[in-house]
Every structure is written in C-alpha cells, then in structure tokens.
C-alpha cells in the first residue's frame, strides 16, 4: 500500500477552489447584470438603466417602481447578436464540465489521501480532473470576454418593441456578472493546472518506492557485537566500592 498523502496537498486546495469556482460560474450564468445599459428616455425605464443578461432583460418602470420588469431571452431569438446565444450554450457546458471535474478531482484526491490498493489509474484520474477544469474555465472565459468586448465597443442590440428597451444605448458598462465570472474562470484554470502539475500525473507510481512509509523499507539499528559482549561479561560499578 503506497503512501501518497503528502504529495497531494496542493491538489486538495485545487479541489476546494475548483468547487467554489464552479458555484460562482453557475451563479454568473443566472445573473442579469452582464451589461448595464444607460438609456436617454426615462419615460418607461424610470431608473434610466436596464440590465441585459444572457437569459433575460430587466429594468424598473414607473408602473411598478418596486418590482423588476423582466423579459426572457431565447437562444432562437433572431435579433440577438452572436455572443449571447454562444454564451448561453457555453455557460451550460461550463456547468456540466465543472460538475464532472469536481467528481474526478474528488476521486483523485481520495486515491491519494486514503488507503487505496489499486493505484494504476491515479494518473488518468488526475489528468482527467485537470483537463475538465481547464475546459470549464475556457468554456466560461470565452463568452465573458466576448460580451465584455461588445460592451466596451458599445455594441447595440435591436430589441423588439415589446421589450420596451430603446436602442442604441447612450452608454454601456460591464456588469457585476462578468466580473464574478472572470474571477471564477481564472480560479478554475488554476485548479486545472494544479491537478495537471501533480508529480505522479506524468510518471508511473512505484508500488514499493522509497517513499512508502507504511511498508518500508526501514532502517534497522542494532547494538554492536562488542557492546553486547562487554555487557554480558559485566563491569565493576564504582558506587559499590568502599573506601
């Protein structure tokens, strides 16, 4: 049984970071604040600002000032620019890849931390966990960067009249959802690199290597033969001598 607990502390940290980043990735997909539109006409949008996400648009109106007015966005809507349908697909793929990556990472850390006899697949599990984390990070990073670029260029979206959002906006700014998503993507990529950098991910694990502290080999220290002979023969103790 091979002792590998001391080799996987950074990967255990990567598992924790990857799980938290996966939660933030799913949160990012559900947030509305991907783009913040500043509109000049406040006759309908009382706050003068609308939130444009990848699944819906929302704003406050004079009719219901305390409630958000939201309309859903579908991947089949023809008025959407390419970055929004792509973001819908890739963010869902990121959630799926992240779930699979967390499962593989948990299995890999368990193999390193607990007494698992068969460790022949440890290389495959660590490499698979790292690859899935990298796929998760890239799947979320691409739509986030694309939408952020559109915001910085002040690209417009021709919403139908029922959305009641005038186009083009006076100005745009990057919403908090993109900031959260970028942090989650970077954290997921770091987790993937930690698993790919595991020392036994690229070389075989020896089942009887010098680092096996449970099964040896151990260094045995014995008394010299000369000392044993002296002790058996006996020596005078000065404490028993009387003057």
């Amino acid at each position: 049984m091979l002792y590998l607990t001391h080799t996987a502390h950074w990967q255990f940290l990567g598992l924790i970071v990857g799980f938290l980043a996966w939660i933030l990735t799913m949160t990012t997909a559900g947030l509305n604040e991907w783009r913040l539109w500043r509109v000049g006409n406040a006759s309908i949008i009382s706050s003068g600002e609308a939130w444009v996400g990848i699944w819906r648009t929302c704003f406050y109106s004079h009719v219901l000032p305390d409630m958000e007015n939201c309309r859903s966005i579908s991947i089949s809507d023809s008025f959407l620019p390419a970055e929004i349908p792509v973001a819908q697909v890739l963010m869902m793929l990121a959630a799926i890849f992240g779930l699979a990556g967390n499962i593989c990472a948990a299995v890999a850390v368990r193999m390193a931390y607990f007494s698992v006899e068969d460790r022949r697949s440890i290389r495959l599990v660590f490499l698979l966990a790292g690859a899935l984390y990298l796929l998760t990070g890239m799947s979320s990073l691409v739509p986030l960067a694309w939408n952020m670029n559109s915001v910085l260029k002040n690209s417009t979206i021709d919403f139908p009249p029922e959305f009641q959002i005038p186009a083009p906006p006076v100005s745009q700014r990057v919403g908090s959802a993109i900031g959260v998503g970028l942090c989650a993507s970077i954290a997921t990529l770091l987790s993937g690199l930690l698993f790919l950098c595991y020392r036994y991910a690229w070389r075989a694990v020896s089942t009887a290597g010098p680092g096996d502290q449970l099964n040896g080999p151990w260094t045995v220290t014995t008394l010299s033969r000369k000392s044993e002979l002296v002790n058996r023969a006996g020596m005078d103790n000065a404490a028993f001598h009387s003057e």
Side-chain angles (χ1 to χ4, degrees), residues 133-199:
Y133 274 142
L134 290 182
L135 281 175
T136 303
M138 292 304 300
S139 296
S140 60
L141 187 60
V142 169
L144 289 166
W146 194 354
N147 279 271
M148 184 173 65
N149 181 63
S150 298
V151 171
L152 296 177
K153 293 193 303 183
N154 199 28
S155 300
T156 187
I157 302 175
D158 296 325
F159 289 106
E162 59 266 20
F163 279 77
Q164 299 180 338
I165 299 179
V170 175
S171 63
Q172 293 186 64
R173 60 189 178 92
V174 177
S176 58
I178 292 182
V180 173
L182 289 175
C183 293
S185 299
I186 294 172
T188 307
L189 292 174
L190 290 176
S191 296
L193 292 177
L194 285 175
F195 276 87
L196 291 179
C197 291
Y198 181 60
R199 69 174 67 177

Side-chain angles (χ1 to χ4, degrees), residues 18-168:
F19 178 76
L20 295 177
W22 175 62
I23 297 295
L24 291 178
T25 299
M26 292 192 297
T27 303
T28 300
L31 291 175
N32 299 324
E33 294 83 3
W34 282 59
R35 307 182 183 197
L36 277 72
W37 278 33
R38 179 69 64 178
V39 297
N41 185 4
S43 59
I44 298 177
I45 303 177
S46 58
S47 63
E49 196 170 62
W51 299 274
V52 180
I54 61 174
W55 300 106
R56 56 188 172 271
T57 62
C58 298
F59 59 86
Y60 288 103
S61 69
H62 295 285
V63 179
L64 297 172
D66 297 329
M67 295 181 60
E68 286 186 349
N69 295 271
C70 299
R71 291 191 67 91
S72 298
I73 296 176
S74 173
I75 193 173
S76 59
D77 290 335
S78 60
F79 63 88
L80 294 176
E83 61 266 23
I84 291 183
V86 170
Q88 292 176 344
V89 174
L90 289 181
M91 291 304 290
M92 291 299 99
L93 288 177
I96 296 172
F97 289 148
L99 176 61
N102 285 323
I103 294 174
C104 288
V107 172
V109 171
R110 179 184 179 277
M111 293 178 70
Y113 268 67
F114 295 95
S115 301
V116 179
E117 294 281 354
D118 185 10
R119 297 175 186 264
R120 290 173 297 179
S121 59
I122 192 170
R123 299 172 62 189
L124 175 62
V125 177
F126 271 92
L127 290 175
L128 183 59
L132 287 172
Y133 274 142
L134 290 182
L135 281 175
T136 303
M138 292 304 300
S139 296
S140 60
L141 187 60
V142 169
L144 289 166
W146 194 354
N147 279 271
M148 184 173 65
N149 181 63
S150 298
V151 171
L152 296 177
K153 293 193 303 183
N154 199 28
S155 300
T156 187
I157 302 175
D158 296 325
F159 289 106
E162 59 266 20
F163 279 77
Q164 299 180 338
I165 299 179

